[in-house]
Amino acid sequence: MSADVAGAYLNADCPEKVHIICGPEFGTEYIGRVAIIKKALYGLRSSGFAWRSLCAKTLRENMGFKPCRADNDTWMRPAVKRNGEKYYEYIFVYTDDIMVVSENPRAILDRLNLYFLLKPDSIGKPNIYLGAQIQPFEIKGDPRKKWAISSEQYVKEAVRLVKDWLEKRGLMLKTRAPSVLPSGYVPELDGS
């Protein structure tokens, strides 16, 4: 399952001393007064670090997860399935996007929701994560669940954006392009 954290940065305290002079958007009685920023706001240089530190502390100290040594945004903890089989539960975090892989992912998201407000309409089976489509699939004869990832939608959108950019400048993509690799190229034999 996956979910988005609502106002993720606002969960963390601002790690630096930041203040503003209030303008009319704060109400006429506050115009010209100094306001101290207490929460990490989008746009402040340290806000991403503050949010990530708070999220990491919560996953580690309150939920018993440890970061993967190869990717600090992948969190894991040992667990036991109802049938007694040992396995690992995983949480993947990318800014405010959370994906959970577990026998009972809802329980993990419910617990996480105690610490950070999860957008209710975002909680569910994932179909897109980090711009790529993901979906469950099966291999005949293997009862284990598997997930597939595809960049098709991401690539189509990237090509559309490039075409739009070129069109505004009176240019266009070639309709036929030669292969990126030379004819007969065998990458597995390339020692470079």
Side-chain angles (χ1 to χ4, degrees):
M1 291 184 84
S2 65
D4 291 342
V5 178
Y9 285 13
L10 295 174
N11 288 288
D13 292 329
C14 186
E16 55 191 318
K17 291 184 179 184
V18 179
H19 73 277
I20 61 163
I21 306 297
C22 295
E25 61 274 8
F26 290 89
T28 55
E29 67 272 19
Y30 295 108
I31 293 176
R33 293 181 71 181
V34 175
I36 297 172
I37 306 297
K38 292 285 199 180
K39 290 294 183 177
L41 299 176
Y42 287 92
L44 294 177
R45 289 184 181 188
S46 60
S47 294
F49 173 77
W51 158 245
R52 190 190 178 298
S53 297
L54 178 65
C55 183
K57 181 179 179 183
T58 301
L59 292 173
R60 185 181 296 109
E61 295 177 12
N62 300 343
M63 298 181 68
F65 281 87
K66 293 182 180 180
C68 172
R69 289 175 53 182
D71 181 354
N72 287 329
D73 292 322
T74 298
W75 294 81
M76 57 190 179
R77 72 178 178 192
V80 179
K81 292 183 179 182
R82 287 185 293 258
N83 67 5
E85 180 184 348
K86 293 180 180 181
Y87 76 109
Y88 279 90
E89 296 175 309
Y90 292 94
I91 297 180
F92 304 103
V93 180
Y94 185 80
T95 311
D96 62 348
D97 295 328
I98 309 279
M99 185 162 47
V100 177
V101 178
S102 170
E103 184 179 48
N104 188 359
R106 185 62 193 222
I108 293 173
L109 287 174
D110 287 345
R111 177 114 186 258
L112 199 57
N113 200 30
L114 297 174
Y115 303 103
F116 311 119
L117 176 64
L118 302 180
K119 296 176 187 175
D121 59 335
S122 74
I123 300 170
K125 270 190 171 178
N127 55 13
I128 293 182
Y129 190 70
L130 304 181
Q133 304 102 285
I134 56 176
Q135 62 186 19
F137 77 98
E138 296 177 7
I139 295 177
K140 190 175 179 179
D142 188 347
R144 294 176 294 175
K145 294 181 182 178
K146 293 159 192 60
W147 286 85
I149 187 165
S150 168
S151 60
E152 180 182 356
Q153 182 178 336
Y154 179 84
V155 170
K156 282 182 180 179
E157 180 62 11
V159 169
R160 186 192 65 76
L161 291 172
V162 169
K163 282 183 177 179
D164 290 351
W165 186 88
L166 290 171
E167 190 176 290
K168 289 177 185 175
R169 290 155 181 78
L171 303 168
M172 63 187 310
L173 288 173
K174 291 182 178 181
T175 55
R176 291 187 51 92
S179 173
V180 183
L181 300 173
S183 177
Y185 177 69
V186 185
E188 63 272 14
L189 299 179
D190 188 347
S192 62

Coordinates of all heavy atoms in Angstrom, one line a residue, residues 55-67 75-79 88-89 91 108 111-112 115:
C55 N 11.3 12.1 10.1 CA 10.7 10.8 9.6 C 11.6 9.7 9.9 O 11.1 8.6 10.4 CB 10.5 10.9 8.0 SG 9.8 9.5 7.3
A56 N 12.9 9.8 9.8 CA 13.9 8.8 10.1 C 13.8 8.4 11.6 O 13.8 7.3 12.0 CB 15.3 9.2 9.7
K57 N 13.8 9.5 12.4 CA 13.7 9.2 13.9 C 12.4 8.5 14.2 O 12.4 7.6 15.1 CB 13.7 10.6 14.6 CG 13.7 10.5 16.1 CD 13.8 11.8 16.8 CE 13.7 11.7 18.3 NZ 13.7 13.0 19.0
T58 N 11.3 8.8 13.6 CA 10.0 8.2 13.9 C 10.1 6.7 13.5 O 9.7 5.8 14.2 CB 8.9 8.9 13.2 OG1 8.9 10.3 13.6 CG2 7.6 8.3 13.4
L59 N 10.6 6.5 12.3 CA 10.6 5.1 11.8 C 11.6 4.2 12.6 O 11.3 3.1 13.0 CB 11.1 5.0 10.3 CG 10.1 5.6 9.3 CD1 10.7 5.7 7.9 CD2 8.8 4.8 9.3
R60 N 12.7 4.8 13.0 CA 13.7 4.1 13.8 C 13.2 3.9 15.3 O 13.2 2.8 15.8 CB 15.0 4.8 13.8 CG 16.1 4.1 14.5 CD 17.5 4.9 14.5 NE 18.0 5.1 13.1 CZ 18.0 6.2 12.5 NH1 17.5 7.3 13.0 NH2 18.5 6.3 11.3
E61 N 12.9 5.0 16.0 CA 12.7 4.9 17.4 C 11.2 4.5 17.8 O 11.0 3.8 18.8 CB 13.0 6.3 18.0 CG 14.4 6.6 17.9 CD 14.8 8.0 18.5 OE1 13.9 8.6 19.2 OE2 15.9 8.5 18.3
N62 N 10.3 4.8 17.0 CA 8.9 4.5 17.3 C 8.3 3.3 16.7 O 7.3 2.7 17.1 CB 8.0 5.7 17.0 CG 8.4 7.0 17.8 OD1 9.1 6.9 18.8 ND2 7.9 8.1 17.4
M63 N 8.9 2.9 15.5 CA 8.3 1.8 14.8 C 9.3 0.6 14.6 O 8.9 -0.4 14.0 CB 7.8 2.3 13.4 CG 6.7 3.4 13.6 SD 6.0 4.0 12.1 CE 5.2 2.5 11.4
G64 N 10.5 0.8 15.0 CA 11.5 -0.3 15.0 C 12.1 -0.6 13.6 O 12.6 -1.7 13.4
F65 N 12.0 0.3 12.6 CA 12.6 0.1 11.3 C 14.0 0.5 11.3 O 14.4 1.4 12.1 CB 11.8 0.8 10.2 CG 10.5 0.1 9.8 CD1 9.3 0.3 10.5 CD2 10.5 -0.8 8.8 CE1 8.2 -0.3 10.2 CE2 9.3 -1.4 8.4 CZ 8.2 -1.2 9.1
K66 N 14.8 -0.1 10.4 CA 16.2 0.4 10.2 C 16.4 0.7 8.8 O 15.8 0.0 7.9 CB 17.2 -0.8 10.6 CG 17.2 -1.1 12.1 CD 18.2 -2.2 12.4 CE 18.1 -2.5 13.9 NZ 19.1 -3.5 14.3
P67 N 17.3 1.7 8.5 CA 17.5 2.0 7.1 C 18.4 1.0 6.4 O 19.3 0.4 7.1 CB 18.2 3.4 7.2 CG 18.9 3.4 8.5 CD 18.0 2.6 9.4
W75 N 13.5 1.4 4.3 CA 13.5 1.0 5.7 C 13.0 -0.4 5.8 O 12.1 -0.8 5.1 CB 12.6 2.0 6.5 CG 13.2 3.4 6.5 CD1 13.1 4.3 5.6 CD2 14.0 3.9 7.6 NE1 13.8 5.4 5.9 CE2 14.4 5.2 7.1 CE3 14.4 3.5 8.8 CZ2 15.1 6.1 7.9 CZ3 15.2 4.3 9.6 CH2 15.6 5.6 9.1
M76 N 13.5 -1.2 6.8 CA 13.1 -2.6 6.9 C 13.1 -3.0 8.4 O 13.8 -2.4 9.2 CB 14.0 -3.4 6.1 CG 15.5 -3.3 6.4 SD 16.5 -4.2 5.2 CE 18.1 -3.9 5.8
R77 N 12.3 -4.0 8.7 CA 12.4 -4.6 10.0 C 11.9 -6.1 9.8 O 11.1 -6.4 9.0 CB 11.5 -3.9 11.0 CG 10.0 -4.1 10.8 CD 9.2 -3.3 11.8 NE 7.8 -3.5 11.6 CZ 6.8 -2.8 12.2 NH1 7.2 -1.9 13.1 NH2 5.6 -3.0 11.9
P78 N 12.5 -7.0 10.6 CA 12.1 -8.4 10.6 C 10.7 -8.5 11.1 O 10.2 -7.8 12.0 CB 13.1 -9.1 11.4 CG 13.8 -8.1 12.3 CD 13.5 -6.7 11.6
A79 N 9.9 -9.5 10.5 CA 8.6 -9.8 10.9 C 8.3 -11.2 10.7 O 9.1 -12.0 10.1 CB 7.6 -8.9 10.1
Y88 N 10.8 -9.8 5.8 CA 11.1 -8.4 6.2 C 9.9 -7.5 5.7 O 9.5 -7.7 4.6 CB 12.4 -7.9 5.6 CG 13.6 -8.3 6.4 CD1 14.3 -9.5 6.1 CD2 14.1 -7.4 7.4 CE1 15.4 -9.8 6.9 CE2 15.2 -7.8 8.2 CZ 15.8 -9.0 7.9 OH 16.9 -9.3 8.6
E89 N 9.5 -6.6 6.5 CA 8.6 -5.5 6.1 C 9.4 -4.3 5.6 O 10.5 -4.1 6.2 CB 7.7 -5.1 7.3 CG 6.8 -6.2 7.8 CD 6.1 -5.8 9.0 OE1 6.7 -5.3 10.0 OE2 4.8 -6.0 9.0
I91 N 9.5 -0.2 4.2 CA 8.9 1.1 3.9 C 9.8 1.9 3.0 O 11.0 2.0 3.3 CB 8.6 1.9 5.2 CG1 7.7 1.2 6.1 CG2 8.1 3.3 4.9 CD1 7.4 2.0 7.5
I108 N 0.7 -0.8 9.4 CA 1.9 0.0 9.4 C 1.5 1.5 9.0 O 1.9 2.4 9.7 CB 3.0 -0.5 8.4 CG1 3.5 -1.8 9.0 CG2 4.1 0.5 8.3 CD1 4.5 -2.5 8.1
R111 N -0.3 3.1 11.9 CA 0.6 3.5 12.9 C 1.3 4.7 12.5 O 1.5 5.7 13.3 CB 1.6 2.3 13.3 CG 2.6 2.7 14.3 CD 2.5 1.9 15.5 NE 3.4 2.3 16.6 CZ 4.5 1.7 16.9 NH1 4.8 0.6 16.2 NH2 5.3 2.2 17.8
L112 N 1.8 4.8 11.3 CA 2.5 6.0 10.8 C 1.5 7.2 10.8 O 2.0 8.3 11.1 CB 2.9 5.7 9.3 CG 4.0 6.6 8.8 CD1 5.3 6.5 9.6 CD2 4.3 6.1 7.4
Y115 N 1.7 9.5 13.8 CA 2.8 10.5 13.8 C 2.6 11.6 12.8 O 3.0 12.7 13.1 CB 4.1 9.7 13.7 CG 4.3 8.7 14.7 CD1 4.1 7.3 14.4 CD2 4.6 9.0 16.1 CE1 4.3 6.3 15.4 CE2 4.7 8.0 17.0 CZ 4.6 6.7 16.7 OH 4.7 5.7 17.6

